Amino acid sequence: MEPLTWFGAYAGFFGTFLAAFATLAVLTGLCAMLLSLTGSSTRGSFSLFNGIAVVTLLLVSIGYIYNALSPTLSGGMELAVLGKILIGLIALGTFAAMLSLFMNNFFDDPAATMGFLFGLSLKLIGLTIAAWLGYTLLFAGAGFREQLAAMDPSAVPTGEDLAQQQRIATMQGRGILASIFIRFMPVWIALVLLFTASVVYKRKLGLYGKLFDNTIGIFGFGLVMFWVFTAAFNGFFDMIATHGPLEQLSGMKNKGPGTPLRDLSDGAYPFYLLGGDNLARDVFSRMVTGSVIVIMIAPLATLFAFMVGITLGLPAGYFSGPALRKGSLGMIATAVIFTLATVAAGLGGGVSNFLMLGIILAVLFVLMFRASLDTVLSFLANLILAFPVILLFYLLVTPEIVETGLPQFMAVVLFIFPIVFAGVLISSRFQTDPAKNRFWLLVVLIPMAILYIVTISAPDSQINILGPLDFFNPAPGVLVVFVSVVFVNSPTVFRIVRGLALDIHSRDYVAAAQTRGEGPWYIMLWEILPNARGPLIVDFCLRIGYTTILLGTLGFFGLGLPPESPDWGSTINEGRKLLSIYAHPALPPAIALLSLVLGLNLLADGLREESLKD
């Protein structure tokens, strides 16, 4: 069986047009860039490249002088290489000057004209790719059908053999790229439906609807939702991956993209679309399955970090005076939390940890009666931020730290904040209607409390509350990474929310709410927080991108998640070991990581632009 080619059976016809339009795009793009840099003038062309040549000579001269004064050093640019660089600069300057002289005779704005041609060539490339894809999907396998029609009826295969041969012939006609496009068909359909509904009802969807008036925001949103739908369809319905992420097949070790399987079992996908890795696992399936891990951890961990940061940042920016008052509810709650943290440290790390943390929290508790809440919380946030992020991650996810149970005890403290936030949000909203307040508190807090208990409890660990009744246990390493992400991101979110609360606290509508007699938590959650949504939404998108990069970094260093995990960082780390020989195992997850982070950054830029228009 022949391997798949990248563009299938119809690459020759469409490839000619694609090569021509790509060449046109490169030439017009370079010309537009040169004309923009030189101001479309011959004098500007010579001035620019003469300046670059002078700077190059100056740097080379400094290098030679430094090497002459330091006999222990050797090196410097060879004269032949320097001559080639200078000749290239002179040729480029001459070409830019001639181009400017020629274009100025025909066009008022040569740079804009070249930019228009560049955009037109990109559109032609897109139309050519769309035409190739449509033609390939429609007529792939036509050659096999013609071959069957010309065969003797007695020699025509039947049943499963016929279906298998027809499937292989169709895929060989499509090629690798079109076959990958087909695998993502549920994602394309979901994206079309989502974008259609969003565009139709965008005027009723607030900031989300305004996003569809921003080209950059739409592109970023599309990239993000592509991976969200990919994770959803593959995680819940197993619709996209062609093989299991840990499935190893004989003869597929380090095989290139499009390699056929040696043994086609019943219903098995006949090719490794993006090749096999050093353990004969399908690179395409591992990339797709890795999106499930990234999409599951990054947004949820960021959301938890925002719950912690908002719950602490709003009162830090709103309240003044001492952090605690004698006999207040805050004093009792703080004492309970500090006591639980001290006891948990003692259970996990022994008497020394119990005494050390107990003394620190006792001193902090006393100081909170004299210092303001803002001072205390800002000090703790700055203390955490003083550590380099990657070093803090490394400390939290190392096996020695995990064995002490510290991540679980951190989860006990950090995971309580969403419950506190939800409870305060509901209580402040329905404070004048006790019956409705009780109803929503029971409906929301009971499931959250159950989920909280089953999440922090784990068999054969420092915290095993439920024992055999524990029905939910995260995969090994997931809880550790999740807690680490929340802990590292929370101080930064706290500082952002605190700064916004300090700014909005002096607005007229806050004073009006205070005049109406509204409680402080109502003002913070229903007056200040909604008016800070723009910067927070933008930071949320950016922070998911940072978290995605951190997850990839942890996987790259082999920390946190199990070694066999298909997350993108671990896959890139495994593929880099043979990168100079086999590039295909490392490139797909690297491109996937790049595209998701790029989409999140573009989405954040679009949301920022639209939120500033409010």
Side-chain angles (χ1 to χ4, degrees):
M1 185 166 38
E2 294 294 325
L4 299 181
T5 59
W6 282 103
F7 295 96
Y10 308 105
F13 176 76
F14 292 98
T16 304
F17 293 97
L18 188 61
F21 295 144
T23 304
L24 178 63
V26 172
L27 291 177
T28 54
L30 289 175
C31 291
M33 183 178 65
L34 285 174
L35 291 170
S36 298
L37 290 173
T38 60
S40 300
S41 68
T42 54
R43 184 174 180 179
S45 302
F46 286 117
S47 298
L48 175 66
F49 290 100
N50 287 341
I52 296 175
V54 170
V55 172
T56 302
L57 287 172
L58 182 61
L59 292 175
V60 172
S61 301
I62 292 173
Y64 275 109
I65 294 172
Y66 186 73
N67 288 333
L69 295 176
S70 304
T72 57
L73 297 177
S74 62
M77 184 178 293
E78 296 181 0
L79 293 178
V81 177
L82 177 61
K84 292 178 181 179
I85 292 176
L86 294 178
I87 292 173
L89 289 173
I90 294 171
L92 197 57
T94 305
F95 173 75
M98 294 176 62
L99 179 67
S100 301
L101 184 64
F102 174 77
M103 295 291 292
N104 281 320
N105 291 328
F106 297 96
F107 304 102
D108 295 331
D109 190 349
T113 303
M114 282 296 174
F116 170 77
L117 292 176
F118 175 69
L120 179 62
S121 59
L122 291 181
K123 292 178 182 178
L124 291 174
I125 290 174
L127 291 174
T128 304
I129 293 175
W132 161 77
L133 186 60
Y135 192 88
T136 299
L137 296 179
L138 287 174
F139 297 103
F144 179 74
R145 290 190 291 270
E146 293 175 359
Q147 183 181 355
L148 286 179
M151 291 176 62
D152 186 271
S154 60
V156 175
T158 59
E160 294 182 1
D161 291 338
L162 175 62
Q164 184 77 318
Q165 291 184 26
Q166 186 171 6
R167 183 186 185 190
I168 293 173
T170 302
M171 291 186 63
Q172 289 175 334
R174 290 173 181 165
I176 297 173
L177 295 179
S179 297
I180 291 175
F181 180 86
I182 290 292
R183 295 303 302 178
F184 282 109
M185 188 58 71
V187 177
W188 305 129
I189 295 172
L191 284 174
V192 169
L193 293 177
L194 175 64
F195 272 68
T196 302
S198 300
V199 170
V200 171
Y201 297 104
K202 65 180 181 179
R203 299 305 173 200
K204 302 178 181 180
L205 297 175
L207 182 60
Y208 170 73
K210 294 178 182 178
L211 181 67
F212 288 85
D213 295 327
N214 188 293
T215 305
I216 294 177
I218 291 176
F219 185 72
F221 181 70
L223 284 176
V224 172
M225 293 310 299
F226 172 84
W227 288 112
V228 170
F229 284 133
T230 298
F233 283 114
N234 192 75
F236 291 109
F237 307 108
D238 196 19
M239 296 178 66
I240 298 177
T242 56
H243 300 87
L246 303 179
E247 183 180 354
Q248 297 171 289
L249 297 179
S250 175
M252 300 304 292
K253 180 179 179 179
N254 291 324
K255 293 297 182 181
T259 303
L261 304 186
R262 287 186 177 181
D263 182 21
L264 293 179
S265 57
D266 295 338
Y269 200 81
F271 296 93
Y272 269 13
L273 291 178
L274 295 178
D277 64 5
N278 62 337
L279 294 177
R281 299 170 298 191
D282 183 23
V283 173
F284 173 77
S285 299
R286 288 180 63 79
M287 178 194 71
V288 171
T289 309
S291 68
V292 180
I293 298 174
V294 173
I295 296 299
M296 177 182 66
I297 295 179
L300 196 58
T302 307
L303 180 63
F304 271 61
F306 264 72
M307 294 295 100
V308 177
I310 290 172
T311 306
L312 297 177
L314 285 176
Y318 183 82
F319 289 114
S320 59
L324 296 179
R325 290 181 176 85
K326 294 181 180 180
S328 65
L329 182 61
M331 185 200 76
I332 299 173
T334 305
V336 171
I337 293 174
F338 282 8
T339 303
L340 288 175
T342 306
V343 172
L347 293 175
V351 178
S352 59
N353 286 354
F354 173 79
L355 293 175
M356 182 177 66
L357 186 61
I359 293 172
I360 293 173
L361 293 182
V363 172
L364 182 62
F365 185 75
V366 173
L367 290 176
M368 290 176 73
F369 285 96
R370 295 174 113 16
S372 67
L373 182 64
D374 184 17
T375 303
V376 174
L377 293 179
S378 296
F379 171 76
L380 294 176
N382 293 333
L383 193 63
I384 298 173
L385 292 173
F387 287 89
V389 173
I390 191 62
L391 177 61
L392 199 57
F393 261 108
Y394 185 84
L395 291 175
L396 290 174
V397 301
T398 48
E400 292 79 9
I401 297 295
V402 173
E403 288 177 1
T404 64
L406 179 62
Q408 268 190 294
F409 297 123
M410 293 173 62
V412 172
V413 177
L414 295 175
F415 290 0
I416 199 70
F417 279 94
I419 300 176
V420 174
F421 179 82
V424 175
L425 186 72
I426 295 170
S427 298
S428 61
R429 183 67 180 86
F430 299 112
Q431 58 184 345
T432 58
D433 191 343
K436 188 177 289 188
N437 188 21
R438 262 192 316 272
F439 171 77
W440 284 110
L441 285 174
L442 292 174
V443 169
V444 174
L445 296 188
I446 290 178
M448 291 183 70
I450 295 174
L451 189 60
Y452 168 77
I453 294 173
V454 300
T455 302
I456 64 172
S457 176
D460 301 326
S461 67
Q462 300 285 350
I463 301 177
N464 187 10
I465 301 173
L466 300 177
L469 298 178
D470 192 357
F471 60 87
F472 174 72
N473 289 301
V478 172
L479 182 64
V480 177
V481 173
F482 195 94
V483 170
S484 303
V485 170
V486 175
F487 181 72
V488 169
N489 282 326
S490 296
T492 311
V493 178
F494 162 80
R495 295 183 69 177
I496 294 173
V497 175
R498 169 190 169 273
L500 292 170
L502 285 171
D503 177 48
I504 299 175
H505 176 57
S506 58
R507 303 291 174 87
D508 292 339
Y509 49 82
V510 175
Q514 292 171 340
T515 305
R516 292 197 311 266
E518 303 289 358
W521 281 103
Y522 178 91
I523 295 174
M524 285 186 281
L525 294 173
W526 296 98
E527 297 289 345
I528 295 177
L529 185 60
N531 288 284
R533 68 185 184 278
L536 291 180
I537 291 173
V538 172
D539 184 74
F540 182 77
C541 295
L542 290 173
R543 202 158 297 281
I544 294 176
Y546 302 153
T547 303
T548 304
I549 295 174
L550 285 173
L551 291 174
T553 305
L554 286 177
F556 185 83
F557 288 124
L559 299 171
L561 297 174
E564 69 275 5
S565 171
D567 68 282
W568 293 337
S570 300
T571 311
I572 294 170
N573 182 41
E574 291 177 2
R576 74 173 176 87
K577 299 172 184 176
L578 299 174
L579 189 61
S580 60
I581 305 173
Y582 304 106
H584 63 274
L587 287 180
I591 294 173
L593 180 63
L594 181 148
S595 63
L596 178 58
V597 175
L598 175 64
L600 288 165
N601 281 271
L602 294 178
L603 176 61
D605 288 341
L607 289 171
R608 182 188 295 114
E609 291 180 10
E610 296 304 319
S611 63
L612 291 175
K613 295 178 183 178
D614 290 344

